Amino acid sequence: MSVLIKGGTVVNAEQSLRADVICDGGLITAVGTDLDAPSGATVIDAGGQYVMPGGIDPHTHMQLPFMGTVASEDFESGTSAGLAGGTTMIIDFVIPGPQQNLMEAYKQWREWAEKSVSDYSFHVAITWWDDSVHDDMGTLVRDHGVNSFKHFMAYKGAIMADDEILVNSFARSLELGAIPTVHAENGELVFRLQKELFEKGITGPEGHPLSRPPECEGEAANRAIRIAEVLKVPVYIVHNSCRQSLEAITRARNEGQRVFGEVLAGHLLVDDSIYRHKDFDVAAAHVMSPPFRSSEHQDALWKGLQSGNLQTTATDHCCFCADQKAAGKDDFRLIPNGTGGVENRMEVLWHHGVNTGKLTMNEFVKVTSTNAAQIFNIYPRKGSVAVGADADIVVWDPEATKTISTKTDHQKVDYNIFEGMEITGCPSHTISQGNVVYANGKLDVERGAGRYIDRPPFAPFYDALQKQAQLAEPVAVKR
Ligand code: DUC
Ligand code: ZN
Ligand code: ZN
């Protein structure tokens, strides 16, 4: 299938220009003025619209088995919802259970993801440690296109990585040319605070944010960053929700450390008063970790995005319906953690970022697509409207308006955390692998059309880091 996108303004991270775009054989084959349509091409009139790289959501959890249940959104429905919102690739997570063989978990997730309708890739979580984990990390990087490993510093007694695991895995990541990523919350403190609150009779969702204060996140972010500093490995902190973790990142970046930070659309826009909602279902629908925070933190996060200290936006899309959230009716600790948003990330970012003047259009492209492609080493195949890149494109209508609602979205969850939000600017068309998969409100997707995207290791840059680590070898004093 070939497609000509005619008369639009191409917006990339580095520049905007009036140009037509031709997609053929799954790739972008021409970007230029007054291009003629190849015979049989579908022509999209992009007059008055922006032609941008499809979004990359670097943090989703489709059909994740978690807290005694399984996330309601699967890889087919979740990637479909993503395409409806202009997101053409997700990076999801393989999360082995404690002691579960890494390769076995990886194969399981690959099988689950085969039904994806858009491209996808996987970070792999390190939830325990022994020689087999060390060796499997090597196999994953060398033979399976994995270049990032995730560490949960929270979820004690389940998937939490303690300092010993962090140190082993960060050091191994450097050896392999992979980047460690962390969910930064001090799991010991969260565990203790949860228990104290529950014993004081705080059993409802209001206990959730109280048990996970910003200080717990700031401490963990700083610890992960300092471990990475000592081991000389870059590090990526997922879903920063508060000023404290942003400050840890900013401080380290100012010192020249290679630290990256992600922020969720939800953390920018939803505030923590929701946890005190009278209706349990509404409050519980917002339970995710780290929790939504006050406006002080939201303001800081926007500034982090504007200053470039936070580089990527994501959703942590991990959906649970009301009947699943009800598991924690009498004990907030049992409410499955997770919220959606893969369909809405780009439009809420555009509305609250570009329309308010907080972000330029080029910065919007950076934080929704290009930076993730660069950090996770798939640029310029992804994250760019350029000849030779994958034809993953969103045609953006800046005048279109809509009211976000679970009644009209495509996400497989019964509550939308942006419910009722009126936005201006959303996709008119989404093109995935050169096919028009979403046009004027209608999806046209094929189960299984999504491809697993290999992400190569970070050589030769890491070779230099390793050499630096060797140069710093101490010399014993001869006595
Ligand atoms: N946080 C969530 O809210 N859900 C899934 C995992 C996570 O870290
Ligand atoms: Zn997390
Ligand atoms: Zn997550």
Side-chain angles (χ1 to χ4, degrees):
M1 182 192 209
S2 52
V3 177
L4 169 65
I5 308 168
K6 198 148 185 66
T9 299
V10 172
V11 182
N12 273 315
E14 66 279 5
Q15 63 170 340
S16 312
L17 73 159
R18 290 294 297 274
D20 304 335
V21 178
I22 295 180
C23 310
D24 201 14
L27 299 177
I28 297 173
T29 54
V31 179
T33 44
D34 300 324
L35 298 180
D36 292 324
S39 76
T42 303
V43 180
I44 296 173
D45 175 7
Q49 302 194 64
Y50 300 115
V51 181
M52 304 189 283
I56 299 172
D57 188 334
H59 189 156
T60 65
H61 300 282
M62 305 303 171
Q63 61 188 88
L64 175 69
F66 192 53
M67 296 182 72
T69 182
V70 177
S72 57
E73 188 89 274
D74 66 29
F75 281 92
E76 183 179 3
S77 62
T79 49
S80 299
L83 289 175
T87 288
T88 50
M89 178 173 172
I90 59 168
I91 313 182
D92 207 274
F93 294 80
V94 172
I95 307 184
Q99 312 303 315
Q100 186 186 9
N101 177 275
L102 239 60
M103 296 311 299
E104 176 194 297
Y106 172 78
K107 283 179 191 139
Q108 174 68 84
W109 257 268
R110 284 290 304 266
E111 212 179 294
W112 286 336
E114 274 170 12
K115 55 185 173 294
S116 298
V117 303
S118 77
D119 287 353
Y120 57 93
S121 194
F122 283 117
H123 312 279
V124 175
I126 303 303
T127 54
W128 61 292
W129 192 260
D130 77 351
D131 287 349
S132 78
V133 175
H134 170 279
D135 295 349
D136 288 345
M137 286 174 76
T139 306
L140 287 165
V141 173
R142 279 190 300 270
D143 305 334
H144 296 278
V146 172
N147 70 14
S148 51
F149 293 99
K150 169 79 176 284
H151 308 80
F152 290 90
M153 296 173 79
Y155 301 114
K156 180 177 156 71
I159 52 176
M160 183 170 99
D162 61 15
D163 284 2
E164 185 182 358
I165 299 176
L166 295 180
V167 169
N168 282 323
S169 175
F170 281 27
R172 180 66 172 146
S173 296
L174 175 65
E175 259 173 35
L176 293 168
I179 186 164
T181 77
V182 293
H183 167 134
E185 284 186 298
N186 184 314
E188 289 295 341
L189 280 171
V190 169
F191 183 78
R192 185 186 174 93
L193 293 175
Q194 283 181 326
K195 187 164 173 289
E196 277 178 16
L197 284 158
F198 190 75
E199 283 169 2
K200 281 184 183 146
I202 311 282
T203 60
E206 67 278 14
H208 179 69
L210 296 174
S211 67
R212 311 182 91 101
E215 292 75 13
C216 285
E217 188 179 330
E219 184 283 324
N222 195 55
R223 180 158 35 104
I225 289 168
R226 294 306 171 191
I227 290 172
E229 181 187 24
V230 172
L231 297 174
K232 300 197 162 46
V233 65
V235 67
Y236 177 97
I237 315 291
V238 308
H239 54 40
N240 291 278
S241 74
C242 63
R243 178 178 55 74
Q244 286 82 343
S245 59
L246 171 62
E247 281 173 359
I249 291 172
T250 306
R251 203 161 46 235
R253 286 176 66 84
N254 287 341
E255 291 166 1
Q257 202 182 330
R258 192 162 291 267
V259 179
F260 302 106
E262 169 193 282
V263 62
L264 306 185
H267 284 133
L268 289 165
L269 295 166
V270 181
D271 81 71
D272 58 353
S273 60
I274 198 74
Y275 295 116
R276 296 186 294 280
H277 199 284
K278 289 272 182 290
D279 183 343
F280 169 86
D281 288 344
V282 174
H286 292 82
V287 166
M288 62 96 50
S289 296
F292 299 123
R293 308 283 191 195
S294 66
S295 60
E296 175 217 342
H297 296 287
Q298 294 175 343
D299 292 346
L301 295 173
W302 275 111
K303 287 181 183 140
L305 210 49
Q306 289 175 283
S307 63
N309 284 311
L310 299 175
Q311 299 78 32
T312 60
T313 58
T315 56
D316 204 357
H317 188 86
C318 184
C319 296
F320 299 105
C321 293
D323 57 336
Q324 297 173 289
K325 295 271 184 182
K329 190 97 187 140
D330 304 316
D331 182 348
F332 69 87
R333 297 172 296 183
L334 303 179
I335 301 170
N337 285 203
T339 51
V342 73
E343 185 168 352
N344 310 115
R345 176 184 65 119
M346 295 189 72
E347 59 202 16
V348 300
L349 251 286
W350 180 275
H351 182 80
H352 292 278
V354 179
N355 290 351
T356 59
K358 288 193 177 93
L359 299 174
T360 66
M361 291 193 293
N362 307 92
E363 286 165 348
F364 171 82
V365 169
K366 277 187 201 172
V367 303
T368 56
S369 181
T370 310
N371 286 349
Q374 291 181 338
I375 292 169
F376 294 111
N377 216 13
I378 46 174
Y379 183 84
R381 177 180 181 184
K382 303 286 187 189
S384 166
V385 177
V387 173
D390 282 0
D392 283 1
I393 294 175
V394 59
V395 182
W396 197 267
D397 182 351
E399 305 293 337
T401 57
K402 83 179 209 194
T403 304
I404 295 174
S405 173
T406 192
K407 293 194 190 83
T408 46
D409 72 26
H410 298 81
Q411 300 178 144
K412 218 174 175 182
V413 62
D414 54 8
Y415 196 91
N416 190 315
I417 55 167
F418 305 114
E419 185 71 34
M421 188 181 282
E422 292 175 10
I423 51 126
T424 301
C426 51
S428 66
H429 298 77
T430 308
I431 292 146
S432 168
Q433 297 178 45
N435 299 311
V436 181
V437 288
Y438 177 77
N440 302 314
K442 294 248 167 338
L443 275 167
D444 182 11
V445 296
E446 186 192 333
R447 180 181 165 93
R451 301 166 301 180
Y452 176 76
I453 303 296
D454 281 328
R455 294 177 295 120
F458 301 92
F461 173 64
Y462 269 47
D463 299 345
L465 290 181
Q466 279 172 38
K467 270 196 205 109
Q468 236 183 53
Q470 281 154 16
L471 285 177
E473 281 290 301
V475 179
V477 175
K478 287 204 179 98
R479 295 192 173 86

